[in-house]
C-alpha cells in the first residue's frame, strides 16, 4: 500500500483487512528503531500467544515459524520503510513461504529495506498506489464528513489548498468550520472565498509534517512557500545542490508547464507537494522567518527575472511586514495582480499606500482605481466607491468609469452611475464608451455599431475595448445575427491580441458566450473550438457567475436537475458575496428549472427572490432571465398572467429590434401551449440566423404535412445540437397531431421517438413534452401503485403478481389513471422515487383482509 503521508494508506489497509479470516496483527515501524536489530520481530513475538518464544533472535524465529505452521497470520506493517533489516528479512521469508500474509504500508517502495523490497518479484504480490485526491474523491469525502451537498467551488478551493492530501483536506475542512468560513447556505456547504487557512489545526499539522525532516529540507519547503511555484532554472539558482534532496523528500515536485511535441523540450517548474500548499505553510512562519526568506530570495535572483506573479507575491509579503516598497515596483505589481484578476492581492498591496510617496499623480490615481475595482469585485462596493469619491471631479475618465460601474452593478444605482459618467462634448472617448456600455446594461437602446467603433479605438484600454465588443456581440445575438457574432468571436480568439491578452481582457469575451450558445441553439464544432482554446483556470472567473453560465446551458438542453444544482450552488456562493447583484437573475433560471421538475415550493422560493431583485440584476443578459420566467409565471400565477408577461417581453424585444428574442419568446409560447400560431413562429424564425432558427422555421410545414421523415429530420437537428428537450417536445406535438387526425400507427411511432429523445431528461416535464407526473392526490392508492410500477418498467403481469390483482384489473387502473393524468400511454409516465413506502402501505392493508385459509379475492 503505497502513498504519501496523509493519503490514508493505513486506513485503507485496515479496512481491507478487517474482512480477512486470519488473525490480524498491526505493527508500526519507527525511524528511531530502524537500526536496532530484530526490533520489529521482538514486538511481534510479544503480541503472539507463544508458550516459549525465547529471548534470542534464533529462538524467536524458531517459535514464530513453528506457530505459523498451524496458525495463519495476517500482519499489517505500517511505516514499513523504517523496518530494521533483520526483522524485514524474517517477515519477507515468512511471506514467501506463505506462512503469513504480509501487508505493508509505505511512502515509497524503493525506500523499503532490501528483503521487503525484493518481494516485488513475487508472483503473488500486489501493489496499491494511492495518488492525490481527484475532484470526485474530494467531493465524496466532503459530502460524507459534512453530511450534505457541497458547493463545487468549495470542493475546488479545498482540493487546491490540500494538494489532494486526505489528511490535509480533513484538517482544512475543520479549520474552515471553526473559523465559520464554511457554512451551510441553502442546501450546500459553501466556503467563503476570502478565507485563508491559518488556524491552529493547520499550524500543528504543518509542524508535525516537517519536524522529522532535516533542517535544510524544512527551510527549503518554507522558502518555496514564500516564493510560490518557481521555474526550474530559478529553483536551481535558489536551492543549488539541495534541490535534488528537496525533490527526493517528495515535499516538492516537478511539474510540466508546457511541452514542445516537435522537439520534446519541456518547460518545468518546482512547487510544493504532498498536500502542502503555500498558504498553509506560510501560516506557520513568524515575521522574522518570513523576512529572512525574502532576503534569501532577493539575493538569489533580481526582480527582473521573476514572473509577474512571483514579483507581486514578494511585494505582498513586504507590505505585510511593513517593509518600504518603491512606488514604481508597487505600481507594477498592483497592475499585474489586477490583470490576473487576483483581487484580494490587489487589496493587500494597496492597504497601506502612502500618497506622498507617489510623485506621479496619474500613477497614484491608477492605483486607487485598481484598489476600488478590487474592493468592488470582493463585494465591498460602498468602500470601493469611497476610495474614488475624492477623485470624481478632477479624475480621469477611467476614475469616473469605474465609479459608475460600482454604482450601477454594486449598489444598484443606475441613476447615480449615469450621473457620474454623463459625457459632454469635451469628455474623452473612454468616458463615452463607458456611458454606452452602462446604457446597454441598463436595457436602454444603444447603437451596436458605435460599440464596435469603440472596440477598435486604441485610445481606450484593452479591457474596456473588449467589453464594448462583448456587448456588441450580445446585441448581435439578440438582433438575430448569432452566426455573424460567432464568426467575430472566432476571429478574436484566433487573433494574436487574444493570445497575449490578460485574463481580465479575455474574461470579457467569455461573458458573451452564454448568450451566443443560447442564440445558436447549441454549441457546434465552431463554438467547441472556441471553448477548447480558452484556459478557464487562468481567467479567475467569479465562481457564481461561472456556475450560472453552466446552469443556463444545462437548462437549454433540458437537463433541469443538473441546472437546478448549478443555480443553487451559485446562489449559495452569492449569499456569501454578490458583487454583481445577480441573485435575482440566477433565481429566475432556478425557478424555471424547479418548474420543469415539478418542485413547486422551490420554484416559488426562487421566483420570489427574482421578483424582489433590483432592475439591474443580470444587466444586458436580463432578457434571457425574463424569457425563462414565462413557464414559472404560467405555473404559479396562471395562464392570463403568463400571456401578459409574454406580451411585455415581446413589446420589449420589438422596441429594441431584438428578432432572436422575439423568436425565442414565440417558441416558448408554442412549447407552453400559450400559442398555436405556427405561421407567426415561422415568420419570426425566418428573420434569424442559425441552426435553431432554421429548425423552428420548419415546424409549420412539417406539422401540416405530418411527414415522418421531416419530423425525424427536425428532431435530429435539435438533438445533434444538444437540445434533446426541443427535439422530444416536437416529436410529441407531432404525435398528438397524428393521433387527432386518426393516424394511430404514426402517432405511436412518434411517441416512441419522443420517449427515446426524452430519456436523458430525468424528472422533466413541460406542456409539449406530454409526460405524466404521477400525482398521488389525483389517483386512488391502487391507481398510484400501479402507475408507479408501470413507470418503473414492470409489465401488467408483473404488477398483477406483486399487488395480487388480475392483469385485466391492472389495465383498468392504468386506463383510468391515464385519463386523470392527461396521457395515453404508459411510456409517458414519469418515475417517482418514493415507491417502496407506497407498496408497503398497500400490501400491509391488503394482507389484513387475506383469509387464513383461502385465496385472496380481488
Amino acid at each position: 500500500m503505497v502513498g504519501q503521508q496523509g493519503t490514508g494508506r493505513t486506513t485503507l489497509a485496515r479496512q481491507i483487512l478487517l474482512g480477512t479470516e486470519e488473525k490480524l496483527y498491526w505493527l508500526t515501524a519507527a525511524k528511531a528503531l530502524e537500526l536496532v536489530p530484530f526490533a520489529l520481530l521482538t514486538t511481534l513475538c510479544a503480541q503472539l500467544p507463544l508458550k516459549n518464544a525465547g529471548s534470542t533472535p534464533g529462538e524467536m524465529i524458531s517459535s514464530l515459524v513453528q506457530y505459523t505452521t498451524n496458525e495463519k497470520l495476517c500482519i499489517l506493517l505500517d511505516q514499513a520503510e523504517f523496518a530494521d533489516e533483520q526483522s524485514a528479512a524474517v517477515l519477507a521469508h515468512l511471506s514467501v513461504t506463505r506462512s503469513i500474509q504480509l501487508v505493508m504500508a509505505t511512502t515509497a517502495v524503493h525506500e523499503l529495506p532490501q528483503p521487503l523490497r525484493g518481494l516485488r518479484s513475487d508472483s503473488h504480490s500486489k501493489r496499491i498506489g494511492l495518488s492525490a485526491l481527484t475532484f470526485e474523491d474530494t467531493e465524496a469525502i466532503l459530502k460524507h464528513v459534512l453530511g450534505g451537498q457541497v458547493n463545487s467551488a468549495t470542493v475546488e478551493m479545498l482540493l487546491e489548498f490540500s494538494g489532494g492530501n486526505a489528511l490535509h483536506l480533513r484538517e482544512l475542512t475543520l479549520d474552515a468550520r471553526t473559523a465559520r468560513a464554511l457554512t451551510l447556505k441553502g442546501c450546500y456547504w459553501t466556503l467563503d472565498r476570502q478565507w485563508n487557512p491559518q488556524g491552529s489545526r493547520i499550524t500543528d499539522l504543518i509542524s508535525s509534517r516537517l519536524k522529522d525532516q532535516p533542517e535544510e529540507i524544512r527551510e527549503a519547503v518554507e522558502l518555496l512557500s514564500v516564493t510560490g511555484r518557481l521555474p526550474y532554472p530559478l529553483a536551481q539558482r535558489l536551492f543549488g545542490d539541495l534541490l535534488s534532496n528537496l525533490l527526493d523528500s517528495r515535499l516538492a515536485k516537478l511539474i510540466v508547464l508546457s511541452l514542445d511535441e516537435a522537439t520534446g523540450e519541456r518547460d518545468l517548474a518546482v512547487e510544493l507537494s504532498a498536500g502542502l500548499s503555500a498558504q498553509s505553510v506560510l501560516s506557520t512562519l513568524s515575521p522574522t522567518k518570513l523576512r529572512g526568506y525574502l532576503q534569501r530570495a532577493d539575493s538569489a535572483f533580481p526582480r527582473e527575472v521573476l514572473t509577474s506573479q512571483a514579483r507581486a507575491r514578494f511585494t505582498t509579503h513586504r507590505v505585510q511586514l511593513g517593509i518600504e516598497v518603491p512606488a514604481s515596483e508597487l505600481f507594477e505589481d498592483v497592475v499585474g495582480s489586477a490583470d490576473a484578476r487576483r483581487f484580494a492581492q490587489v487589496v493587500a498591496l494597496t492597504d497601506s499606500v502612502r500618497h506622498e510617496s507617489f510623485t506621479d499623480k496619474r500613477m497614484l490615481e491608477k492605483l486607487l482605481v485598481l484598489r476600488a475595482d478590487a474592493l468592488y469585485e470582493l463585494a465591498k462596493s460602498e468602500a470601493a466607491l469611497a476610495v474614488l469619491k475624492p477623485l470624481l471631479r478632477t479624475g480621469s475618465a477611467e476614475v469616473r468609469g469605474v465609479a459608475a460601474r460600482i454604482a450601477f452593478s454594486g449598489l444598484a444605482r443606475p441613476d447615480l452611475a449615469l450621473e457620474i459618467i454623463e459625457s459632454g462634448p469635451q469628455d474623452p472617448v473612454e468616458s463615452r464608451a463607458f456611458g454606452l456600455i452602462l446604457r446597454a446594461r441598463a436595457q436602454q437602446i444603444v447603437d451596436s455599431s458605435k460599440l464596435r467603433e469603440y472596440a477598435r479605438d486604441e485610445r481606450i484600454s484593452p479591457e474596456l475595448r473588449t467589453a464594448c465588443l462583448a456587448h456588441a456581440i450580445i446585441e448581435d445575438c439578440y438582433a438575430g445575427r448569432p452566426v455573424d457574432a460567432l464568426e467575430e468571436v472566432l476571429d478574436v480568439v484566433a487573433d494574436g491580441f487574444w493570445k497575449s491578452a490578460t485574463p481580465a481582457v479575455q474574461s470579457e469575451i467569455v461573458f458573451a458566450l452564454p448568450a451566443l450558445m443560447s442564440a445558436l441553439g447549441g454549441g457546434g464544432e465552431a463554438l467547441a473550438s472556441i471553448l477548447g482554446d480558452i484556459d478557464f483556470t487562468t481567467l479567475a472567473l467569479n465562481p457564481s457567475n461561472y456556475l450560472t453560465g453552466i446552469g443556463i446551458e444545462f437548462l437549454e438542453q433540458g437537463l433541469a436537475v443538473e441546472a437546478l444544482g448549478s443555480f443553487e450552488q451559485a446562489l449559495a456562493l452569492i449569499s456569501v458575496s454578490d458583487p454583481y447583484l445577480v441573485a435575482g437573475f440566477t433565481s429566475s433560471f432556478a425557478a424555471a428549472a424547479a418548474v420543469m421538475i415539478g418542485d413547486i415550493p422551490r420554484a416559488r422560493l426562487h421566483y420570489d427572490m427574482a421578483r424582489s431583485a433590483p432592475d439591474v440584476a443580470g444587466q444586458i443578459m436580463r432578457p434571457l432571465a425574463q424569457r425563462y420566467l414565462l413557464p414559472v409565471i404560467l405555473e404559479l400565477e396562471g395562464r392570463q398572467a403568463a400571456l401578459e408577461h409574454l406580451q411585455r417581453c415581446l413589446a420589449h424585444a420589438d422596441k429594441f429590434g431584438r428578432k432572436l428574442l422575439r423568436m425565442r419568446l414565440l417558441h416558448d409560447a408554442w412549447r407552453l401551449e400559450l400559442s398555436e400560431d405556427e405561421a407567426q413562429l415561422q415568420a419570426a424564425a425566418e428573420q434569424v440566423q442559425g441552426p435553431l432558427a432554421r429548425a423552428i422555421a420548419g415546424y409549420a410545414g412539417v406539422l401540416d404535412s405530418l411527414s415522418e421523415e421531416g419530423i425525424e429530420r427536425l428532431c435530429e437537428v435539435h438533438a445533434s445540437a444538444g437540445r434533446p428537450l426541443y427535439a422530444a417536445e416536437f416529436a410529441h406535438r407531432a404525435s398528438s397531431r397524428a393521433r387527432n387526425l386518426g393516424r394511430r400507427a404514426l402517432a405511436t411511432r412518434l411517441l416512441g421517438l419522443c420517449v427515446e429523445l426524452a430519456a436523458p431528461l430525468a424528472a422533466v416535464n413541460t406542456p409539449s413534452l406530454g409526460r405524466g407526473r404521477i400525482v398521488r392526490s389525483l389517483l386512488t392508492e391502487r391507481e398510484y401503485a400501479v402507475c408507479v410500477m408501470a413507470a418503473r418498467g414492470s409489465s401488467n403481469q408483473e404488477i398483477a403478481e406483486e399487488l395480487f390483482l388480475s392483469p385485466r384489473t391492472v389495465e383498468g387502473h392504468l386506463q383510468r389513471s391515464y385519463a386523470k393524468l392527461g396521457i395515453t400511454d404508459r411510456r409517458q409516465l414519469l418515475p417517482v422515487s418514493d415507491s417502496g413506502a407506497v407498496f408497503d402501505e398497500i400490501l400491509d392493508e391488503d394482507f389484513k383482509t387475506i383469509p387464513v385459509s383461502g385465496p385472496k379475492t380481488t
Side-chain angles (χ1 to χ4, degrees):
M1 196 76 65
V2 186
Q4 289 296 312
Q5 290 182 3
T7 54
R9 60 176 195 256
T10 306
T11 302
L12 180 58
R14 289 190 65 197
Q15 287 179 335
I16 290 173
L17 294 174
L18 283 177
T20 185
E21 295 180 358
E22 290 84 11
K23 291 182 179 178
L24 174 63
Y25 290 87
W26 181 11
L27 302 176
T28 301
K31 185 175 178 61
L33 297 176
E34 64 181 328
L35 297 180
V36 178
F38 297 101
L40 273 177
L41 185 63
T42 304
T43 304
L44 176 61
C45 288
Q47 293 185 47
L48 292 173
L50 302 175
K51 293 181 180 178
N52 185 20
S55 57
T56 68
E59 290 172 337
M60 286 190 291
I61 293 171
S62 176
S63 297
L64 185 58
V65 170
Q66 185 177 0
Y67 181 79
T68 55
T69 302
N70 302 313
E71 190 75 45
K72 288 292 183 183
L73 295 184
C74 181
I75 297 175
L76 168 58
L77 178 56
D78 203 0
Q79 297 185 182
E81 63 269 24
F82 298 132
D84 63 276
E85 285 279 347
Q86 297 80 6
S87 298
V90 175
L91 292 173
H93 172 72
L94 292 173
S95 176
V96 169
T97 60
R98 308 290 177 263
S99 299
I100 64 170
Q101 181 182 2
L102 179 63
V103 178
M104 295 177 285
T106 182
T107 56
V109 172
H110 74 268
E111 292 181 356
L112 293 171
Q114 177 55 45
L116 298 179
R117 196 162 66 245
L119 293 176
R120 288 180 300 178
S121 59
D122 191 307
S123 61
H124 290 84
S125 73
K126 293 188 174 99
R127 168 177 173 160
I128 297 176
L130 298 180
S131 57
L133 299 174
T134 64
F135 178 92
E136 290 75 16
D137 298 330
T138 306
E139 184 177 37
I141 290 171
L142 290 174
K143 280 183 180 179
H144 178 73
V145 170
L146 296 171
Q149 296 292 317
V150 185
N151 201 297
S152 60
T154 296
V155 177
E156 289 277 10
M157 192 171 175
L158 287 172
L159 178 59
E160 179 186 349
F161 279 149
S162 68
N165 183 282
L167 176 61
H168 286 224
L169 177 67
R170 174 181 179 274
E171 296 302 300
L172 286 161
T173 303
L174 293 173
D175 180 69
R177 286 195 67 178
T178 301
R180 297 186 179 178
L182 180 60
T183 53
L184 195 59
K185 301 292 183 182
C187 56
Y188 286 93
W189 285 95
T190 302
L191 184 64
D192 188 335
R193 299 288 296 179
Q194 298 184 51
W195 171 75
N196 271 315
Q198 53 190 11
S200 59
R201 302 189 72 96
I202 305 304
T203 304
D204 293 345
L205 174 64
I206 299 301
S207 299
S208 67
R209 290 294 307 276
L210 299 181
K211 68 181 171 91
D212 292 331
Q213 295 293 333
E215 184 177 354
E216 64 270 17
I217 296 297
R218 287 202 308 272
E219 291 184 352
V221 168
E222 292 172 345
L223 182 53
L224 192 55
S225 77
V226 174
T227 64
R229 177 191 293 176
L230 282 176
Y232 186 69
L234 293 187
Q236 284 183 308
R237 184 187 300 187
L238 180 62
F239 296 113
D241 294 338
L242 182 61
L243 180 58
S244 60
N245 293 337
L246 176 61
L247 294 172
D248 285 343
S249 75
R250 289 184 174 75
L251 298 176
K253 64 181 178 182
L254 278 177
I255 60 169
V256 179
L257 297 177
S258 62
L259 172 65
D260 188 326
E261 295 184 0
T263 64
E265 292 184 4
R266 298 181 301 169
D267 186 14
L268 301 175
V270 177
E271 68 178 17
L272 291 176
S273 180
L276 299 175
S277 68
Q279 296 92 330
S280 57
V281 177
L282 274 172
S283 69
T284 68
L285 301 184
S286 66
T288 302
K289 265 194 171 184
L290 179 57
R291 189 183 296 264
Y293 288 136
L294 282 173
Q295 290 171 349
R296 283 180 60 178
D298 284 341
S299 63
F301 29 68
R303 178 179 167 84
E304 57 268 18
V305 304
L306 295 171
T307 63
S308 172
Q309 182 177 352
R311 287 197 298 268
R313 189 182 186 88
F314 286 174
T315 301
T316 304
H317 296 325
R318 293 188 181 95
V319 168
Q320 291 171 342
L321 289 170
I323 299 173
E324 186 72 27
V325 178
S328 58
E329 291 184 10
L330 179 63
F331 178 78
E332 181 183 6
D333 293 335
V334 171
V335 171
S337 300
D339 285 343
R341 300 180 66 80
R342 298 189 190 96
F343 301 116
Q345 188 164 275
V346 170
V347 173
L349 286 169
T350 56
D351 263 340
S352 53
V353 169
R354 294 173 54 197
H355 291 209
E356 62 274 12
S357 62
F358 286 86
T359 55
D360 187 337
K361 296 307 176 186
R362 287 179 300 177
M363 185 182 288
L364 175 62
E365 180 188 271
K366 178 68 174 178
L367 213 61
L368 294 175
V369 165
L370 294 177
R371 175 176 175 79
D373 191 47
L375 286 168
Y376 155 66
E377 293 281 352
L378 296 173
K380 299 176 180 177
S381 297
E382 295 281 2
L385 196 56
V387 171
L388 298 181
K389 208 166 185 179
L391 306 176
L392 288 180
R393 289 191 177 183
T394 59
S396 66
E398 187 178 13
V399 169
R400 286 160 47 205
V402 173
R405 181 171 62 188
I406 293 167
F408 183 93
S409 302
L411 300 177
R413 290 283 309 279
D415 55 334
L416 177 59
L418 291 172
E419 179 185 328
I420 290 172
I421 202 64
E422 199 63 60
S423 299
Q426 302 304 316
D427 280 339
V429 65
E430 190 141 327
S431 288
R432 297 197 290 275
F434 264 123
L436 198 59
I437 283 183
L438 285 180
R439 288 182 174 82
R441 291 175 178 173
Q443 298 300 306
Q444 295 183 16
I445 297 175
V446 299
D447 183 352
S448 59
S449 64
K450 195 67 179 176
L451 283 169
R452 270 197 180 71
E453 183 183 318
Y454 289 140
R456 293 189 295 267
D457 195 325
E458 296 193 0
R459 293 173 295 174
I460 299 174
S461 68
E463 188 173 348
L464 181 55
R465 284 163 50 201
T466 313
C468 289
L469 179 59
H471 279 67
I473 287 169
I474 292 171
E475 283 293 354
D476 268 3
C477 289
Y478 287 164
R481 299 189 295 274
V483 174
D484 294 346
L486 175 61
E487 290 176 358
E488 191 161 14
V489 173
L490 286 168
D491 289 343
V492 169
V493 174
D495 188 76
F497 166 76
W498 166 266
K499 290 179 170 53
S500 61
T502 66
V505 171
Q506 291 183 341
S507 63
E508 291 292 344
I509 286 295
V510 172
F511 171 68
L513 293 183
L516 185 57
M517 294 180 75
S518 173
L520 289 167
E525 292 183 8
L527 201 50
S529 71
I530 294 174
L531 297 173
D533 285 339
I534 296 173
D535 183 359
F536 286 93
T537 59
T538 65
L539 294 183
L541 297 174
N542 181 284
S544 58
N545 290 356
Y546 180 78
L547 283 166
T548 297
I550 295 295
I552 291 172
E553 177 56 19
F554 278 140
L555 201 55
E556 290 278 326
Q557 294 176 39
L559 303 175
V561 173
E562 293 85 345
L564 187 56
S566 290
F567 295 135
E568 290 189 333
Q569 288 187 59
L571 289 167
L573 289 169
I574 288 167
S575 70
V576 177
S577 173
D578 186 13
Y580 309 109
L581 299 180
V582 295
F585 173 72
T586 301
S587 293
S588 301
F589 298 110
V595 164
M596 287 171 67
I597 63 173
D599 193 334
I600 303 310
R602 280 162 92 182
R604 190 170 295 282
L605 175 71
H606 292 306
Y607 180 52
D608 289 343
M609 188 182 297
R611 288 194 303 178
S612 64
D615 290 341
V616 301
Q619 301 181 21
I620 195 172
M621 302 286 282
R622 186 175 177 84
L624 285 180
Q626 291 296 307
R627 179 171 71 81
Y628 263 107
L629 283 179
L630 186 60
V632 180
I633 294 171
L634 177 63
E635 178 66 40
L636 300 182
E637 298 184 2
R639 183 179 182 86
Q640 186 56 41
L643 287 170
E644 290 171 2
H645 180 75
L646 173 64
Q647 291 307 314
R648 286 193 297 271
C649 290
L650 284 171
H652 189 272
D654 292 341
K655 175 183 175 182
F656 282 75
R658 291 172 168 171
K659 297 174 183 177
L660 173 94
L661 288 176
R662 177 177 178 78
M663 180 197 77
R664 295 304 303 267
L665 287 162
L666 292 174
H667 182 223
D668 287 343
W670 181 84
R671 294 174 50 238
L672 298 171
E673 298 182 351
L674 293 171
S675 168
E676 296 293 335
D677 192 342
E678 287 146 10
Q680 183 187 30
L681 178 58
Q682 177 179 341
E686 286 172 347
Q687 299 182 58
V688 176
Q689 298 175 344
L692 176 63
R694 287 196 298 274
I696 292 174
Y699 280 14
V702 171
L703 288 174
D704 284 343
S705 64
L706 277 184
S707 158
E708 187 170 359
E709 181 182 348
I711 293 165
E712 290 177 348
R713 176 177 51 78
L714 279 181
C715 288
E716 173 58 26
V717 171
H718 281 316
S720 61
R723 298 296 181 259
L725 175 62
Y726 300 157
E729 286 179 329
F730 184 72
H732 179 259
R733 292 292 288 272
S735 173
S736 297
R737 187 159 299 190
R739 186 173 300 277
N740 291 338
L741 294 173
R743 298 175 62 179
R744 291 188 169 276
L746 176 60
T748 299
R749 290 196 299 274
L750 292 177
L751 182 58
L753 176 62
C754 169
V755 170
E756 180 184 340
L757 291 167
L761 310 179
V764 170
N765 194 24
T766 68
S768 283
L769 195 53
R771 286 167 150 181
R773 214 176 288 284
I774 306 174
V775 182
R776 191 166 188 168
S777 61
L778 297 179
L779 307 173
T780 67
E781 291 290 351
R782 285 281 190 202
E783 289 168 350
Y784 183 78
V786 167
C787 285
V788 167
M789 292 188 68
R792 197 172 61 186
S794 300
S795 67
N796 284 7
Q797 184 63 43
E798 291 168 335
I799 298 172
E801 290 174 1
E802 183 158 347
L803 296 183
F804 301 94
L805 303 172
S806 71
R808 184 175 178 180
T809 302
V810 169
E811 183 60 28
H813 283 316
L814 284 175
Q815 291 302 325
R816 285 189 293 275
S817 300
Y818 295 163
K820 293 177 182 180
L821 299 177
I823 59 175
T824 58
D825 192 291
R826 69 197 301 141
R827 292 175 293 176
Q828 295 171 274
L829 289 168
L830 271 171
V832 295
S833 58
D834 62 341
S835 55
V838 176
F839 298 145
D840 291 343
E841 258 176 55
I842 294 172
L843 291 174
D844 285 348
E845 189 63 33
D846 286 340
F847 278 115
K848 291 175 186 174
T849 65
I850 298 178
V852 175
S853 60
K856 183 180 185 305
T857 57
T858 60

